[in-house]
Amino acid sequence: MGKEEAGAGGMAWAKFGKEEWGRHFGHVPEEPALPRRIKALMGATCPIWKGKKIYETHALVLIPSTLNGRRMCMNLMAEVMHTPKEGNASNIRYYWDKMKSQRGLEGPDASYWVVITKDILPRSVNKLYQDQQAQARALQVELVQPEDINLVRGASYLQNSPYRMPTALEMVITMALWYASTGERLLKESSAEEGGKHTWSNTRCRDELLHGCPIVVGSFSERGMCVYDYHSCGTDLGGGIVVCMKLDEIKELK
């Protein structure tokens, strides 16, 4: 697992920052500072999985603007994933041509942190895209309340839901780092030979292709992961959703 970051009350969470990037894939720019109240978020009750804390069900992942001096993008991740400096190699076994040509070179202008779920949301599979978006927006987070937390409008809940669907690049980065470090596949595809029926786990993402369909990421097997748009248009019933929080957008944590 990535570096365990000590938190309040002895909690620890999976952190994939500059150190982990350097160990597995190469040099990235300096990390943005984590919000002062990051422990109040990571120690909060998870609004998705009952009885869990956010640090148990999410990972903290750095999305860098560059890697080894090159602009971060999906095409670059597809290139470096199969030859890590250390850890487990992976690849994008199905990288749809339209995704590659339309979105493959897009990347962030500045590095940032996301806190992202390690699995798809319960009851998010086989729903319309707009209903899945609404499911993400409905999630509320109640912060842990150490003395330095200024409550919003007299309550400890964040004023707005911090959750959104991930971009395809955020999802692939998370899956590649997690697998390189732990050997565990997130959004796994399981075959009948593994003792059960053939199953797929995929997430729709927030970015769309030119024909209006959101990108889908997942089905991570021993052959690699998939980046495509099969059954992903808004009028289709398709895979579930992973959700994430972009830390620099949550003003209550600063």
Side-chain angles (χ1 to χ4, degrees):
M1 183 175 291
K3 180 181 178 182
E4 291 285 338
E5 185 73 12
M11 68 181 180
W13 57 80
K15 177 186 175 187
F16 294 90
K18 182 179 175 66
E19 180 181 337
E20 289 72 39
W21 274 102
R23 181 182 306 133
H24 297 300
F25 298 119
H27 175 76
V28 299
E30 290 302 313
E31 300 171 344
L34 287 169
R36 183 167 60 93
R37 295 166 176 164
I38 183 65
K39 293 177 183 179
L41 176 67
M42 300 304 284
T45 298
C46 178
I48 303 164
W49 286 279
K50 186 176 180 180
K52 298 287 187 179
K53 302 292 187 182
I54 285 177
Y55 75 86
E56 297 176 286
T57 58
H58 295 57
L60 177 63
V61 181
L62 176 67
I63 308 300
S65 57
T66 63
L67 174 61
N68 298 324
R70 299 168 60 186
R71 179 179 174 83
M72 172 54 69
C73 63
M74 187 72 76
N75 289 354
L76 179 57
M77 282 304 298
E79 178 183 325
V80 303
M81 287 162 53
H82 66 280
T83 54
K85 296 168 59 179
E86 178 184 315
N88 301 288
S90 57
N91 69 292
I92 302 178
R93 62 182 166 96
Y94 183 70
Y95 188 14
W96 199 39
D97 289 343
K98 286 186 178 180
M99 168 62 204
K100 188 183 299 185
S101 62
Q102 295 177 22
R103 301 293 189 190
L105 294 176
E106 294 181 352
D109 294 326
S111 302
Y112 61 92
W113 292 99
V114 294
V115 174
I116 186 168
T117 60
K118 295 181 286 186
D119 202 353
I120 59 173
L121 271 60
R123 298 175 296 280
S124 69
V125 177
N126 289 329
K127 290 188 175 181
L128 296 174
Y129 184 52
Q130 62 266 31
D131 294 336
Q132 292 170 326
Q133 290 174 310
Q135 186 177 4
R137 289 193 298 267
L139 296 170
Q140 295 290 330
V141 175
E142 184 177 11
L143 296 174
V144 174
Q145 300 180 39
E147 292 181 0
D148 68 332
I149 293 291
N150 292 320
L151 301 185
V152 177
R153 295 182 180 177
S156 56
Y157 282 94
L158 298 181
Q159 186 170 348
N160 299 300
S161 172
Y163 282 102
R164 60 167 173 79
M165 290 168 158
T167 66
L169 181 60
E170 290 166 350
M171 194 69 244
V172 167
I173 284 174
T174 300
M175 293 167 68
L177 281 169
W178 190 275
Y179 184 67
S181 180
T182 70
E184 178 187 2
R185 296 184 180 93
L186 303 181
L187 303 189
K188 183 180 178 181
E189 177 179 334
S190 301
S191 67
E193 289 74 23
E194 295 179 77
K197 64 180 182 180
H198 197 163
T199 60
W200 298 264
S201 184
N202 300 284
T203 181
R204 283 169 164 160
C205 300
R206 66 181 307 192
D207 33 4
E208 299 179 354
L209 299 176
L210 294 180
H211 60 290
C213 287
I215 300 164
V216 169
V217 174
S219 294
F220 196 0
S221 71
E222 67 279 357
R223 295 176 293 133
M225 62 185 76
C226 297
V227 180
Y228 61 128
D229 82 333
Y230 180 66
H231 289 328
S232 66
C233 288
T235 57
D236 291 335
L237 299 176
I241 57 167
V242 163
V243 293
C244 68
M245 299 176 268
K246 189 169 181 279
L247 294 187
D248 60 13
E249 295 178 347
I250 307 175
K251 65 179 187 295
E252 293 91 343
L253 298 180
K254 298 177 181 178

